Each structure stands twice: as structure tokens, then as C-alpha cells.
Amino acid sequence: MASLLQPDRVLYLVHGEKKIRSPLSTLYFCRYCSELRSLECVSHEVDSHYCPSCLENMPSAEAKLKKNRCANCFDCPCCMHTLSTRATNIPAPLPDDPSKTTMKKAYYLACGFCRWTSRDVGMADKSVASGGWQEPDNPHTQRINKLIEYYQQLAQREKLERDRKKLARRRPYMPLAFSQHTIHVVEKYGLGTRLQRQRPGAPITSLAGLSLKEGEDQKEINIEPAQALDEVEPLPEDCYTRPINLPEVTSLRQRLLQPDFQPAGASQLHPKHKHLLIKRSLRCRKCEHNLSKPEFNPTSIKFKIQLVAECQVLLTLTNPVENITHVTLVGCEEGDPEDINSTAKVMVPTKELVLAGKDAAADYDELAEPQDFQDDPDVVAFRKSNKIGFFIKVVPQREEDGDVTVSFKIRHDFRNLAAPIRPSEEGDAPTEAIWLTHHVELSLGPIIA
Amino acid sequence: IGKQNTKQQLIFCIANIAAGAVVCVESEIRGDVTIGPRTVVHPKARIIAEAGPIIIGEGNLIEEQALIINSYPENIMPDTEGVEPKTMTIGINNVFEVGCVSQALKIGDNNVIESKADLGKNVILTSGCIVGACCQVNTCEVIPENTVIYGSNCMRRVQTERPQPQTLQLDFLMKILPNYHHMKKTVKGTSTPVRN
């Protein structure tokens, strides 16, 4: 197997909608289809939202309301690191006796990386540790909300019309609930589900995620059209001659992270709430089974379901499964349509290689008999528990500065350990082995003269 | 050549450590180094005055594996005659964090040089500057006051207030370090050569 630090040396070919070559560590194996899957041939679904700094879980509806931002955590507007709350003691007059002063705690936000503090932009210290910080209001919020309402209504009306047309075409026994189901599904998932894939020519599909809740009155909302102005404010006279105070100018990244204000000066950079991250689950597109499903708890990195390719597919001759596996290597023939990257001819051993099963207790079991496989010393270099090293001959085809790449096909037997859906009628029949073939590309490194 | 060697050996041992400074024996101090009061030098810190004397003010905090070196410029051999020794001055309340390297000839007050930062010979730090972790500053310039240098690209920004002097930390260390390490002898008044 390619080492952890050089994962791109061994690539496996995935037959999906696109032919993708990627290392085994990034692939999944669907054991119902018995095929390799890459990230491009699975559908990604949002599982849960969580904040990366306070690790607080948030239900999807609440996340949508808060625009996918955490309520407690802030990002530094200067370097995008997480802000921490610091406390200082300031003297403040006692409420009973104004002449005496007592030490009160005042809190401010500070960044540990670039040393930005909330005092830099003029935000006053708060007396509560959390929850006192307000984001500045956007002057355009009202207009934007009104526009959103208007277009929501428009989208709703268009959807109803479309559903009515669909119903008119369908047989009469199709219930009305179908259209409500569509709306319900669309509202819950937004774009990306099987029912709502973007079809070319479909109108305003980007608004399909917005929909009024059922039962709301259909008010007529009118918006005033935006007014175009003829005159624009002129630039200040010293625009070209005024010396630039470079630390005060914000960078593009800092500016665009606050799209509602886009401040040009660093003294107007206010902290924003931290963006939430998602946990996603992956689903095979052909058989609709889940390939990867993470745990719900944000602090846990384990998976409920995890069908990663390394556990199921043969690694370069380390056998991950517990049965004896037979491997045959076949070189790629001339004119193989998948063989585009190889720059060298390879002669693989023609005999079948046998790999012992993975036995976790083998290291500790002193009484186990050493396995007796008759190995041809020209083919097999060494054998150790479930690993095997073997020789291949490589003839580079051209003098190249790049890496020498060879490709060949591995064919091995695989026993599907998933419980059969149909109860086996013969009773004790062992699971059938199926033969899988993978196209492998191996990058051997540059030629040393 | 013989005379020069003995002269250098004498200079080798002069370390003028003011009373009130806490300098651990495991630190390496070579050459003509003056250390002000209330300065703490951790074990394994290295202060090397090769090409000239180093004068360190008071209230500084020099952590482990920090290297403050007044070295010869690159194109001059150590044995050349006629090279004037340049003094390296370090002000008060500076912090040299773990593993930093400083060759800057003039450092002002209240600066913080974070871990593994690297200051070249031609940089001059004024006051209140913060050189971030792993940042290499080897330009030929005077860094203006209250500048923060951070990030892998050494981005800069100006902060509105200077970093606070680490008085609490200094007091704590001055109490605790003598419990676990031997200290170098301090000198009162005029400088006398000290045997390390």
C-alpha cells in the first residue's frame, strides 16, 4: 500500500459516471453493488450542523434561521481565527456610593493569532462574558426581506401551477398529496435530492428551496422597482494624491467575508459569528445504500456506517480480509481504453498469488503452525502473515523527466460478508466468492540516470 | 596571535549580571553581556556576544532555547583587523519566547518575539512590536511601533495598544526558578569577571 505520506503513488480506477483515478484511502466500497465508489459517484447529504469551536449541535431548522452561524462564537475579521473572550479589571463606581470605586470585570474579544481586539474597532467592553456582542445592522435588511417575501410568493405560485399541470396529465387516482409531498420534501432538503435535480430549462430552480408554509395566507406583496440614479457621488479631490495608510486598508479576503458592508478600512472590520460546519453522509447512487454515516455527536469522530475501500478491497498485496485470497495480476493489453497514463511496460508475474487471511491474533499465538505456501522465489520476495512482496519487471518506454507510471489489473476473489437479504435455502451453503477486477496505476518515481 | 587569544579568553568570561536578575546556570552566556535587573533568563537560553557586546535592559523574559546573538556580518571573517564591535541593545519588558532567534542590533521596549521567530541582522524593532511565531523578518528596515507580524506570509497590521509587560509571569518565575535551578552569580556595582 502506498504510504501515508505519499498517497498518490498507487491509484485505483473507479468506473462511475466519470472515470476517476484516486488512491484507495479516498475511496469507498459499496458491498451491495460490489464496486468501488469515489466521492464523485456518491450523493452527499447533510447529516447535522455543528459549530467547530464550541461543538454545539444545531438542528437544521435553527441553523437555517441563524444563517448557518453559531450564536456564541466569533471569527476574527482580520485573520479568521476563532476569537476568545478575555477579561480585565476596570475600576467602576459603586452604585450605592459614587465616590468609591470597585473593580469590575469587563470582557472584550481578542484574537490569539494576530492580536486583534474588539477595542480596535471601537466596540466597548461588555460586562457579561457571553451574549453581549451584537453584529452591526445592515441598512438594507428591510428592502432585502421584502424582496425575499415577494419572490417566495412568486415561487410558490409557479410551483402550484406546475403541480397542477402535472396532475392534469397523470391518471386520476394519483392523490393530491403528491404535490404536497413534493413541497415538503423540497423544503426539507432543498436542492440536491433525486426529486429536485436541476433539469435544463426548468425555470427559477434556485428559488425552489424557498416555499411558504402550508396554510399561510397568500397576501399580495408589491415591491417598488429599484430606482436608477443618474448622478453618482464624485470621488474626493485628493483621491490620487493622498498617501495610503497601508495597515488601514483591508485585504480583499477580509472585505469579502463581510459582503453586506465590505469595509475598506480596517477600523470598520467587525467580528462575524462563526460559520457552522456540517457532518455529511454518503449514499451510493445506484443502490441507494449508505456508504458512510457519521455519529450525531459533534465530539465523536466515529461512524455508524463506514464502508471505506481499505477495509474491503485488496491493498497492494496486504490482505485485509480474514480469508485466504487468490490474486492474479494481469498486464494491460495494447489498446486498453483505460490505460492512458502508463509510461512503461510492465511484466507482472503470471502465476496466481495466494495471500493468507488477516489474523489479528497471529502475533500472539506461538503455537500456530507456519503457513506453508509453495512460493516461487523468482516471483515472491517475502511473505509475512497477510502481506506478500513480489517482483515485477518494468521497462520504461520513453526518456522522461516525469515519473514512471505503470498500470495493470488486479483480479481477486471477494466474499461478501453482508447478511443475505433472502434466507439461503440450502441452509449451510457458504457465501459465494465473486471475482473483482480493479485497474491499478502505480507511480514508481523518476528515472535516475 | 598569542596575545589576541588570551585577550579573547578574558572577554569570554565577562558577564555583567545586575542584582535582581535571575539567570540560570544552564544558560549559555558568552562574551561581553550586560543583563539588567528583573530580567529572567531560562535554562538553555543562549546569549552570545561574538562581534560586540550585548546590553539587555530590565524586566526582560528570555525563555528556553532562545538565541540572542551578536554575530559577525556574513562577508567578514572573524579574524579581520579593524572591524569595530557593534553593540546590540535590548530595551525593557521584552519577551523572547521559546526557540526564537534574534540578531537584531536594536530592540526597543515591550516587544514580543514569539516562538521560533527569526530576526535578521538589519531589522530594528521599535516598541510594542509583536513578531509572530515562525515568522522570519530579515528585511532591512525599522519596524514601526505597535506592529504585529503574523501568519505564514508575514502579514502585518497595526494594533492600537502595546502588549502588556509580563509582570505577573516575571514575579512568579523569580520566585520559583531559584527553587529548581542554580543561578549565576550577580554582580553589584562595577563589573568584575565571573568564573562560570
Side-chain angles (χ1 to χ4, degrees), chain A residues 36-183:
Chain A
L36 282 174
R37 296 266 174 256
S38 76
L39 282 177
E40 308 229 359
C41 11
V42 296
S43 57
H44 302 238
E45 292 160 4
V46 173
D47 221 25
S48 59
H49 298 265
Y50 69 98
C51 170
S53 70
C54 63
L55 292 178
E56 183 199 339
N57 224 321
M58 219 185 267
S60 312
E62 194 185 335
K64 211 170 167 182
L65 256 179
K66 296 199 183 149
K67 308 205 172 146
N68 288 332
R69 304 232 172 219
C70 178
N72 306 325
C73 308
F74 286 89
D75 272 344
C76 174
C78 195
C79 65
M80 296 92 204
H81 186 62
T82 313
L83 287 176
S84 50
T85 312
R86 299 229 183 113
T88 54
N89 284 321
I90 51 163
L94 272 177
D96 304 331
D97 197 352
S99 55
K100 292 200 197 138
T101 56
T102 179
M103 302 305 277
K104 236 184 8 164
K105 278 213 181 296
Y107 299 94
Y108 62 98
L109 293 171
C111 172
F113 189 58
C114 68
R115 311 273 176 144
W116 180 92
T117 62
S118 56
R119 294 169 176 168
D120 284 353
V121 287
M123 290 168 74
D125 297 349
K126 302 281 181 252
S127 47
V128 279
S130 64
W133 302 101
Q134 299 291 336
E135 282 194 17
D137 281 329
N138 188 356
H140 305 292
T141 336
Q142 272 205 355
R143 169 88 176 145
I144 291 181
N145 282 341
K146 220 170 167 214
L147 282 173
I148 290 182
E149 271 181 29
Y150 175 72
Y151 280 105
Q152 266 180 0
Q153 202 189 49
L154 201 59
Q156 172 80 344
R157 247 187 262 152
E158 297 210 353
K159 208 181 304 169
L160 281 177
E161 277 178 28
R162 224 185 313 147
D163 285 338
R164 237 178 271 138
K165 277 191 219 151
K166 267 196 218 158
L167 285 177
R169 266 186 267 137
R170 287 185 185 279
R171 313 268 172 82
Y173 59 75
M174 197 61 129
L176 189 64
F178 180 81
S179 79
Q180 286 173 345
H181 174 68
T182 322
I183 298 173

Side-chain angles (χ1 to χ4, degrees), chain B residues 101-115:
Chain B
V101 174
S102 166
Q103 300 182 41
L105 283 177
K106 197 163 167 2
I107 298 183
D109 313 328
N110 289 313
N111 299 300
V112 176
I113 302 174
E114 288 188 8
S115 305

Side-chain angles (χ1 to χ4, degrees), chain B residues 55-180:
Chain B
I55 301 177
I56 302 183
E58 50 175 68
N60 293 300
L61 177 55
I62 303 170
E63 294 190 358
E64 288 87 345
Q65 299 196 355
L67 170 60
I68 301 177
I69 179 167
N70 185 356
S71 59
Y72 291 103
E74 277 155 10
N75 49 352
I76 298 182
M77 295 298 296
D79 292 332
T80 334
E81 297 275 0
V83 178
E84 277 190 27
K86 285 199 191 148
T87 315
M88 178 189 274
T89 342
I90 298 181
I92 62 177
N93 290 330
N94 296 301
V95 177
F96 293 84
E97 287 192 14
V98 175
C100 68
V101 174
S102 166
Q103 300 182 41
L105 283 177
K106 197 163 167 2
I107 298 183
D109 313 328
N110 289 313
N111 299 300
V112 176
I113 302 174
E114 288 188 8
S115 305
K116 298 222 173 184
D118 197 329
L119 288 177
K121 253 189 114 52
N122 298 319
V123 183
I124 295 182
L125 288 185
T126 48
S127 305
C129 300
I130 300 185
V131 181
C134 270
C135 289
Q136 285 185 347
V137 187
N138 43 20
T139 49
C140 181
E141 65 170 314
V142 176
I143 310 250
E145 291 204 5
N146 290 337
T147 309
V148 180
I149 301 178
Y150 67 97
S152 49
N153 299 329
C154 290
M155 309 212 22
R156 298 190 184 185
R157 51 172 294 271
V158 177
Q159 54 176 6
T160 48
E161 43 188 45
R162 44 173 55 181
Q164 296 163 338
Q166 302 273 14
T167 28
L168 273 180
Q169 172 87 333
L170 282 172
D171 289 338
F172 177 73
L173 284 171
M174 293 207 296
K175 258 188 280 166
I176 294 282
L177 269 180
N179 291 343
Y180 297 96

Side-chain angles (χ1 to χ4, degrees), chain A residues 350-394:
Chain A
T350 44
K351 291 193 211 161
E352 196 179 63
L353 302 161
V354 183
L355 291 175
K358 179 167 85 165
D359 192 358
D363 292 338
Y364 307 103
D365 197 356
E366 290 152 358
L367 298 173
E369 290 162 14
Q371 289 145 337
D372 195 16
F373 297 96
Q374 315 271 325
D375 285 332
D376 186 355
D378 285 337
V379 171
V380 174
F382 68 90
R383 177 186 288 274
K384 188 182 170 183
S385 60
N386 62 335
K387 278 193 231 184
I388 191 172
F390 61 99
F391 295 103
I392 57 173
K393 290 208 181 78
V394 175

Side-chain angles (χ1 to χ4, degrees), chain A residues 1-3 5-12 23 403-406 440-446:
Chain A
M1 178 175 117
S3 56
L5 297 174
Q6 293 177 314
D8 287 336
R9 297 196 78 169
V10 182
L11 300 176
Y12 280 74
D403 290 348
V404 173
T405 318
V406 298
V440 179
E441 290 182 5
L442 187 55
S443 163
L444 294 170

